[in-house]
Amino acid sequence: MTTYSTKVLIIGSGAAGLTAAIYAARANLKPLLVAGLQPGGQLTLTTDVDNFPGFPEGVQGPELMEQMQAQAERVGAEVIYDIITEADLGKRPFRCVGDSGDVYEGETLIVATGATARWLGIPSETEYRGFGVSACATCDAFFFRGKDVAIIGGGNTAVEEAIFLTNHAKSVTLVHRRDALRAERVMQEHLFANPKIKVVWDSVPEEILGDGEPKAVNGLRVKNVKTGALTDIPAEGVFVAIGHTPNTQLFKGVLDTDAEGYLVTKPDSTATNVPGVFAAGDVQDRIFRQAVTAAGTGCMAAIEADHFLVAHGAEI
Ligand code: NDP
């Protein structure tokens, strides 16, 4: 078991965590970043990122994250591959324990643990997860070349993934529980213009249908919420794209959260209710959830951690 000590401990290696690491390293704070379950965060699950400034031709999500990490390490941040399983924020230095058994102590802590894809919660979804049911079209679309697939959700993720799926699938049926999409208008226009995509409105999944050995999905039964009518949609793949849950379980009862579990930060700040603990990125952002806003709050958290250390007399 190794004990690491740092002035700025960062949990999470998405856009928020890595930007915090860049800023803290450039403030000579020698930050230590624990990468977590999914190094690089949600952007590693996406393909084209067209809205991160500075890339006129767009950039691939995984490449963007590799670049951010390389930049953080070049300016002096240390990135460790471990998963924090315990966090004691009762006194400073804050003490976190990793899955490896190693201990991480931070005079300040930046929580950038992000958010994770949400599931429908119907039994057949669990039964067929990995056998045709997926929450990541960009990861799994390839397996559905020439097949019929369905996707559930009406936000930017569902629309973006529906369009992406048409690169592989024969047809894509998007199922949405209302009669209007939440996604940005320009993305909706692309969706409606795509001849491979059909939208089923006002409908919720009842059951994922399947059979065979090894088991495989062959359809999605949906219920119209207005009429109660049941319809079976032929589909060999069912993609769930209904939003995300913030990764705040570690801090339950210690850091304040809102009703949906997102960490609450002070206005115009990344400060949480525990002095010296800051939160950045999707874990505290239920509204924007963009790479660039995550990076922005990561920057804020590092600057605020620096100010906190100065105010508390840490010898820098
Ligand atoms: P959102 O929360 O925006 O959308 C979730 C969608 O799933 C909604 O349409 C919602 O319906 C539906 N939904 C939620 N729960 C259920 C359920 N139990 N059953 C059926 N449907 C359900 O999540 P996204 O992942 O789409 O987007 C998250 C954030 O990331 C957003 O801010 C989005 O703008 C951003 N994003 C941006 C992209 C880009 O700019 N390129 C790409 C992808 C995401 P309802 O509408 O009725 O609430």
Side-chain angles (χ1 to χ4, degrees):
M1 186 202 86
T2 309
T3 298
Y4 296 87
S5 294
T6 176
K7 292 194 180 76
V8 181
L9 177 62
I10 302 165
I11 312 179
S13 54
L18 286 169
T19 306
I22 291 167
Y23 272 79
R26 285 183 44 77
N28 213 16
L29 296 170
K30 300 189 176 55
L32 203 120
L33 181 149
V34 182
L37 197 56
Q38 191 180 309
Q42 290 181 71
L43 277 163
T44 58
L45 302 178
T46 194
T47 49
D48 300 315
V49 178
D50 268 342
N51 51 13
F52 199 85
F55 297 91
E57 304 303 326
V59 59
Q60 296 291 300
E63 188 195 335
L64 178 62
M65 300 322 293
E66 278 167 26
Q67 299 285 344
M68 278 194 205
Q69 181 171 337
Q71 187 176 357
E73 289 175 323
R74 180 180 66 78
V75 294
E78 185 178 355
V79 175
I80 296 182
Y81 293 94
D82 201 352
I83 299 163
I84 300 297
T85 54
E86 285 172 44
D88 179 0
L89 310 187
K91 62 175 183 344
R92 285 199 300 124
F94 305 118
R95 187 175 183 277
C96 295
V97 182
D99 191 42
S100 64
D102 290 345
V103 173
Y104 304 90
E105 291 179 342
E107 285 298 328
T108 60
L109 176 69
I110 296 176
V111 179
T113 48
T116 304
R118 209 181 277 154
W119 294 95
L120 295 163
I122 53 177
S124 51
E125 172 189 57
T126 317
E127 191 185 338
Y128 286 104
R129 208 186 286 177
F131 298 93
V133 173
S134 164
C136 180
T138 40
C139 317
D140 297 333
F142 181 79
F143 302 115
F144 298 92
R145 189 170 290 276
K147 298 184 171 163
D148 298 313
V149 299
I151 183 159
I152 300 140
N156 275 341
T157 303
V159 169
E160 192 174 81
E161 294 197 339
I163 294 166
F164 179 75
L165 280 163
T166 62
N167 295 331
H168 300 276
K170 182 166 72 177
S171 78
V172 178
T173 305
L174 183 138
V175 177
H176 184 39
R177 62 183 177 183
R178 292 187 292 127
D179 60 2
L181 297 172
R182 178 184 292 280
E184 283 166 28
R185 242 187 316 270
V186 58
M187 293 178 69
Q188 294 193 29
E189 282 165 15
H190 289 152
L191 181 95
F192 296 138
N194 193 313
K196 280 186 166 182
I197 302 175
K198 182 180 149 203
V199 181
V200 173
W201 300 106
D202 298 315
S203 297
V204 291
E206 272 283 294
E207 192 183 345
I208 287 149
L209 308 169
D211 62 10
E213 192 54 56
K215 58 186 174 183
V217 168
N218 60 22
L220 173 66
R221 179 165 299 160
V222 298
K223 183 167 96 181
N224 185 299
V225 291
K226 290 187 173 155
T227 65
L230 294 176
T231 309
D232 289 351
I233 299 166
E236 290 178 62
V238 174
F239 292 86
V240 180
I242 60 168
H244 295 83
T245 305
N247 297 321
T248 50
Q249 302 83 340
L250 266 179
F251 310 104
K252 221 176 171 157
V254 178
L255 295 181
D256 290 347
T257 59
D258 68 10
E260 287 181 62
Y262 288 87
L263 295 184
V264 175
T265 50
K266 305 217 159 87
D268 298 327
S269 166
T270 61
T272 67
N273 56 304
V274 174
V277 178
F278 304 90
D282 285 12
V283 74
Q284 56 83 56
D285 175 11
R286 54 190 293 282
I287 300 169
F288 302 104
R289 292 178 287 186
Q290 301 298 299
V292 69
T293 50
T297 50
C299 158
M300 287 167 63
I303 292 173
E304 291 190 281
D306 188 17
H307 290 172
F308 180 90
L309 289 166
V310 170
H312 289 77
E315 62 298 335
I316 294 170

